[in-house]
Amino acid sequence: MYNHQLDTFIKVADSGSFNKASEELYVSPNAVMKQINLLENSLGFDLFIRTHRGVQLTPAGESLYRDAKYLIQYAKDSISRAEKMLAEPKHVLRIGTSLTTPVQFLVSLRPQIRQHNPNLKFELVSFENTPENAREIMNHFGRNIDVVAGIYSDNLLSERRCSALKLYDTPLCAAVPLHHRLASNDEIAIEDLFDEKVMLIKRGYMSAFDEVRKDLTENYPRIQIEDFSFFDVNVFNTCENDNAVLIGVKEWGNVHPLLKIIPITWKHTIQMGILHSNTPSDDVKEFLKIISQIYAVQS
C-alpha cells in the first residue's frame, strides 16, 4: 500500500542517526543507509544532511516527514476498512471528518436517517486537513472516504472533479481572537474592519471568497487584506497570535477555543453541502436522497 522505506525514514528522522535507527529496527546500519539511499533516489531529492554527528532533515525531508506518518496510517486504515468490508460488505458510509469539515450535524440526523433506512451505517474517517490530502480525497471519493460535509464553490467542484448536494447557504463570518477589540460584538459592520488585518483565502480557491475580496478591494480600501493558502490549524493559530480577523463560517465555531465567530452585516454567503463522487455508489445515492428528504421537510 505504501513504500515501507518510509518506516525507516521516520525512524532515522526520529533518532537522528543511522546507527540508532538500525538498533531500533534490528538491522545493520548499512541496511538502513541503503534503504534511505534507495528512497532518495526514487524521489529525486535528498532527505537528510549527513554529518559526523548524525543526520538532520533537509527542508524537503521535513515536508515529507510531516506527511509520511499520515500516509502510513491512512494506508493501514484503508486495509482495516477493506478487511471490515469482507465481514460487513454492505451499507457502510464512510464520512470524512477534519478540522473544517464538520460532521456534528450529520451525526445529529442519524435517528432520522435510521428511520428511512435502518441498514445504512456510518463510519467516521478522520483525516488531516492539508492541501494534498484534500485534493487526494476529493479527486478519489469512494476509494477511502465516500462523502465530506463542508463549504464549497462551483469552481472547487470543477477543479477537484467531484459533486455536491447543496444543503443551504451559510453566511461568511468573522473569526476574531477572544482578546480582540471586536470580540464583545454580537455582529460586525464592514466599517468595524477598517484598519484591521483581514485574513482571506487566496484568490481562485473558492469563488465566494473572491467575491468578498472584490467587494473589499473596490469599496473598502481601509481594510488590509492578508492572503493565506489553505484553511488549516496554522491559519487559526495565526489569526489568534496576530490578533487578526479571519473570514470563515459559523460552522467552524468549535475549531479553535481562543477564537469567536461573529456575523458580519453583509450579504456574502457560501454553499454548505455534502461533497461526493461524480459517480456515487448506491449507498451514497441512498444517503443523499435521505438527506435531501430530511432537509426538504425541515425547510
Side-chain angles (χ1 to χ4, degrees):
M1 288 291 292
Y2 68 92
N3 188 337
H4 287 274
Q5 291 163 353
L6 288 174
D7 293 312
T8 303
F9 163 68
I10 290 174
K11 189 68 69 175
V12 173
D14 287 341
S15 64
S17 163
F18 290 127
N19 289 333
K20 292 180 180 178
S22 69
E23 293 173 3
E24 296 181 24
L25 293 169
Y26 301 102
V27 297
S28 69
N30 285 336
V32 172
M33 285 188 282
K34 182 177 180 180
Q35 289 190 54
I36 296 301
N37 289 337
L38 289 172
L39 180 58
E40 289 179 326
N41 289 337
S42 67
L43 294 172
F45 52 79
D46 292 336
L47 297 171
F48 294 102
I49 299 172
R50 279 83 163 167
T51 71
H52 65 281
R53 291 178 296 181
V55 297
Q56 65 182 64
L57 290 167
T58 63
E62 291 178 356
S63 177
L64 182 63
Y65 180 80
R66 287 193 295 269
D67 293 331
K69 289 186 177 181
Y70 167 78
L71 292 172
I72 292 171
Q73 189 59 48
Y74 194 70
K76 290 179 179 178
D77 290 344
S78 298
I79 295 173
S80 176
R81 286 191 290 272
E83 290 173 343
K84 187 181 296 185
M85 291 298 287
L86 291 174
E88 195 174 337
K90 294 182 179 179
H91 312 306
V92 176
L93 192 75
R94 299 163 299 177
I95 303 175
T97 175
S98 72
L99 189 70
T100 57
T101 54
V103 295
Q104 290 87 347
F105 76 96
L106 288 179
V107 174
S108 69
L109 296 176
R110 183 73 178 115
Q112 294 167 270
I113 295 172
R114 286 183 62 87
Q115 289 180 358
H116 285 80
N117 187 338
N119 295 320
L120 188 59
K121 299 180 180 180
F122 285 0
E123 180 178 331
L124 302 185
V125 181
S126 178
F127 65 94
E128 184 179 359
N129 202 35
T130 67
E132 296 78 16
N133 293 344
R135 187 176 299 106
E136 172 68 16
I137 290 167
M138 294 174 71
N139 282 345
H140 300 99
F141 274 126
R143 179 177 294 176
N144 294 297
I145 290 175
D146 296 310
V147 298
V148 169
I151 59 173
Y152 68 94
S153 288
D154 292 342
N155 66 305
L156 181 70
L157 299 181
S158 177
E159 178 190 341
R160 302 292 170 83
R161 301 189 300 278
C162 61
S163 300
L165 169 65
K166 179 181 175 180
L167 301 179
Y168 55 88
D169 291 310
T170 190
L172 289 174
C173 302
V176 302
L178 296 181
H179 55 83
H180 195 279
R181 68 178 183 86
L182 297 174
S184 61
N185 290 30
D186 292 326
E187 64 178 17
I188 294 174
I190 298 182
E191 291 76 13
D192 292 329
L193 299 176
F194 286 177
D195 304 319
E196 289 288 341
K197 180 167 69 175
V198 175
M199 300 175 64
L200 195 59
I201 191 75
K202 66 181 180 181
R203 190 188 307 275
Y205 185 70
M206 291 190 197
S207 56
F209 291 100
D210 289 346
E211 292 171 8
V212 172
R213 180 186 299 275
K214 184 175 184 294
D215 182 16
L216 298 185
T217 301
E218 294 181 355
N219 302 310
Y220 305 97
R222 286 184 58 183
I223 296 176
Q224 307 166 26
I225 297 177
E226 179 167 308
D227 293 350
F228 61 91
S229 59
F230 193 74
F231 287 108
D232 59 17
V233 69
N234 293 324
V235 169
F236 293 95
N237 286 334
T238 299
C239 176
E240 201 281 328
N241 291 330
D242 291 356
N243 199 33
V245 177
L246 172 68
I247 303 301
V249 292
K250 60 183 175 63
E251 287 79 4
W252 296 346
N254 296 321
V255 166
H256 198 294
L258 298 179
L259 297 179
K260 177 183 178 181
I261 306 293
I262 305 175
I264 303 175
T265 55
W266 60 16
K267 295 183 179 180
H268 293 292
T269 63
I270 191 167
Q271 298 174 100
M272 170 66 71
I274 300 175
L275 284 67
H276 59 87
S277 169
N278 287 330
T279 55
S281 67
D282 289 341
D283 285 336
V284 172
K285 290 179 181 177
E286 174 70 6
F287 172 73
L288 297 174
K289 178 182 176 182
I290 292 172
I291 294 296
S292 297
Q293 292 172 347
I294 292 173
Y295 269 79
V297 171
Q298 291 180 346
S299 60

